[in-house]
Amino acid sequence: MEEKSVIKFSHCQKDIFCFFIPEKCPECGVSFSSGRLEEAPIRIPNPFSNGHKTPCCFLVAPAEENNLREFDGGSDLHTGITDTNGVVFNYTKPGVRQDQRGWEMCISIPLIQPDMFNLLNQWDQYLNKFSDAEMWDPAYKRCKGTVINMFIFWSCRFNKETHNCYNYTLMFLNRVLATQGKGSLTKDQFTQSFVLPKIKRACKYTTMCREISQNYFYIADSPVRVMEEESGGEKA
C-alpha cells in the first residue's frame, strides 16, 4: 500500500480499481488499444502517511498486538501525538513512550494550523510537560483523582478501558484547546467528527488493496449505474 498507487478508471458502467491500466477491460474484455476509456484514469489518494513526517498531529495506527499491522475494522488501534520533530508521544502500560520509528504508516490528523506560530513554538513544551505528569507514571503510588470527560480516574496504571492511549491523546488536545481559550471536545465528538471518517476510509482502502493484490482488480458498479438501478430507470 505504501509503494503502489491505486488507479481508478471507468468502463462498461463499472468503476475499476487496479495498480496498472490493463490492455483490455477485465469486465467486458474490450481491448483498450483500439478504443478510449470513458474517462481519464485517476489516482486514488493514499489515506496513510508517515507519522514521523507529520509534526503536531494526532496519529492512529494498528496496535502492536495487531499481527498484520493493518486497518481491518476489527483489530485494536493505538494513538499518539507528534512533536515538532515527528517524535510520537504515546501512552502504554510502561508509561509514555517517545517513538522515533514505528509509525511510518498511520492515519494523521493535523492539530494546528500553519499560521499558529505561538502555539507551534510552545508545542514541544506543552507535550513534554503534559507527558511528565504523575497520572501517566505507572510507578507513582499516590495519584490524585483526574477528571476526563466528566469521569474521575484515580489510578495511574494503564487500563485498556478507562486510562489508555486515547485518554492520553484526547486530554492533551483539550489542554491545548484550553490554552487557546476554546472549549473541550468529548471523546464522542472528536471520534465522530475527526477520527471515524478517516478510519473508515483507511479500512476501505486496505480492503481494496488486498483485493487488487489477490485478483489484480477491484470492480464496483459506477455511481451512475447504482442510481439508475435504484430508480428503476435506464440510460438514455
Side-chain angles (χ1 to χ4, degrees):
M1 282 187 292
E2 293 178 284
E3 299 177 355
K4 298 179 181 179
S5 296
V6 175
I7 300 170
K8 187 195 85 168
F9 66 93
S10 298
H11 196 262
C12 58
Q13 293 187 309
K14 297 286 186 179
D15 285 340
I16 302 171
F17 301 84
C18 52
F19 293 138
F20 59 90
I21 300 297
E23 295 181 356
K24 60 181 181 181
C25 177
E27 183 70 12
C28 68
V30 169
S31 174
F32 293 144
S33 60
S34 58
R36 294 167 52 180
L37 295 175
E38 297 170 2
E39 299 177 358
I42 62 173
R43 198 173 300 275
I44 303 299
N46 191 326
F48 302 106
S49 61
N50 185 337
H52 300 291
K53 295 182 179 180
T54 56
C56 306
C57 286
F58 176 98
L59 304 182
V60 184
E64 292 182 346
E65 307 88 70
N66 183 343
N67 295 327
L68 295 177
R69 301 291 289 170
E70 289 186 347
F71 288 81
D72 57 10
S75 300
D76 289 340
L77 300 174
H78 191 46
T79 61
I81 301 285
T82 50
D83 67 6
T84 57
N85 296 308
V87 177
V88 184
F89 286 63
N90 58 105
Y91 181 56
T92 63
K93 290 182 180 180
V96 178
R97 297 192 325 198
Q98 299 181 27
D99 296 340
Q100 298 186 23
R101 63 179 181 178
W103 296 73
E104 286 77 18
M105 191 182 78
C106 61
I107 294 171
S108 178
I109 302 173
L111 296 178
I112 65 175
Q113 300 297 324
D115 59 349
M116 301 174 71
F117 302 112
N118 290 335
L119 180 56
L120 184 63
N121 291 333
Q122 299 180 78
W123 187 266
D124 289 350
Q125 179 184 343
Y126 286 154
L127 187 54
N128 279 285
K129 184 177 180 180
F130 176 79
S131 301
D132 287 340
E134 295 166 347
M135 67 175 301
W136 309 117
D137 183 1
Y140 191 71
K141 303 298 183 182
R142 295 185 302 164
C143 264
K144 297 179 180 179
T146 303
V147 178
I148 303 178
N149 292 337
M150 303 304 293
F151 293 92
I152 299 179
F153 300 97
W154 295 89
S155 173
C156 288
R157 296 187 180 278
F158 182 93
N159 183 290
K160 190 174 182 179
E161 300 297 329
T162 61
H163 197 64
N164 53 39
C165 61
Y166 204 90
N167 294 125
Y168 166 82
T169 50
L170 182 58
M171 181 177 279
F172 173 73
L173 173 58
N174 281 329
R175 289 282 180 88
V176 172
L177 290 173
T179 65
Q180 304 298 303
K182 299 178 180 179
S184 62
L185 293 169
T186 67
K187 182 177 180 180
D188 286 342
Q189 287 174 332
F190 185 68
T191 302
Q192 294 294 329
S193 299
F194 299 98
V195 180
L196 195 57
K198 286 183 174 288
I199 289 180
K200 288 182 176 179
R201 183 166 171 261
C203 290
K204 184 176 181 180
Y205 189 87
T206 300
T207 300
M208 185 166 55
C209 286
R210 187 184 298 115
E211 178 75 15
I212 296 173
S213 296
Q214 294 174 350
N215 302 308
Y216 301 104
F217 303 99
Y218 176 83
I219 303 175
D221 287 334
S222 67
V224 173
R225 179 170 180 174
V226 170
M227 287 189 294
E228 289 175 351
E229 291 179 348
E230 289 179 348
S231 63
E234 297 181 357
K235 188 175 179 180

